[in-house]
Amino acid sequence: FSLLIPVAIAVVQRSRGHAAVLSELTLLAQRSPKCQNVAAGMCSMRLNKAERRRFDVPKGGCRLLGWLHQQLFYNDTFLFQEVLRGAHVVVEDRDLSIYRSLTSLPGAYPRKSSHRSHLQQYGIR
C-alpha cells in the first residue's frame, strides 16, 4: 500500500523557516529514546506537550513519527526528512500488519481519498 504522511507534511508546510523546523524535529527524533511503547508494536517518538504543540503533532503522531524514524527508515535521517517534505512512500505489507497498526493509532479516522485505493484511507487527528 502507499503511505501518505499528512501529519508530518503539515508540520513542515505550515511552518515558516521549514528547513529549521525540519532539522529541529529530526534532532528530536534522533535524541528520542528508542522504541518507547513496545507493547503497541510500534516505536514512539517522545515529545512533551510544548513540542507537540510547536510541531502540531496530534496524539497518534508521536507513534507515527517514531515508527517512521526508527522502524521504517532505521534512523536514516535523509529518508525521514524526505518523507517530512512530502515524498511518496510505498510500503510492502502483504499481511496488512502495518496497515492495521497505523489505522489503529489514536486519532486515526477513515477519510475519502483523491485517488483510487484498494483499502480504506485514514488520516490522523
Side-chain angles (χ1 to χ4, degrees), residues 3-10 12-13 18-19 22-23 25-26 65 68-69 72-73 75-90:
L3 179 67
L4 298 177
I5 314 297
V7 171
I9 293 169
V12 175
Q13 289 179 349
H18 65 273
L22 184 59
S23 293
L25 189 58
T26 302
L65 291 170
L68 280 170
H69 187 261
L72 185 62
F73 298 130
N75 301 317
D76 185 312
T77 299
F78 175 77
L79 291 175
F80 182 69
Q81 289 184 348
E82 286 298 296
V83 167
L84 294 181
R85 288 185 185 104
H88 180 82
V89 178
V90 177

Side-chain angles (χ1 to χ4, degrees), residues 40-104:
M42 294 181 79
C43 293
S44 185
M45 187 171 157
R46 184 178 289 168
L47 295 174
N48 62 38
K49 282 185 180 182
E51 291 164 338
R52 282 204 340 259
R53 205 172 20 256
R54 170 164 165 52
F55 297 111
D56 195 21
V57 175
K59 261 186 173 178
C62 289
R63 271 197 225 163
L64 177 61
L65 291 170
W67 175 77
L68 280 170
H69 187 261
Q70 296 174 20
Q71 288 174 271
L72 185 62
F73 298 130
Y74 300 102
N75 301 317
D76 185 312
T77 299
F78 175 77
L79 291 175
F80 182 69
Q81 289 184 348
E82 286 298 296
V83 167
L84 294 181
R85 288 185 185 104
H88 180 82
V89 178
V90 177
V91 178
E92 187 173 318
D93 186 25
R94 293 181 187 180
D95 66 355
L96 298 179
S97 59
I98 296 171
Y99 177 83
R100 283 193 297 276
S101 293
L102 293 174
T103 57
S104 66

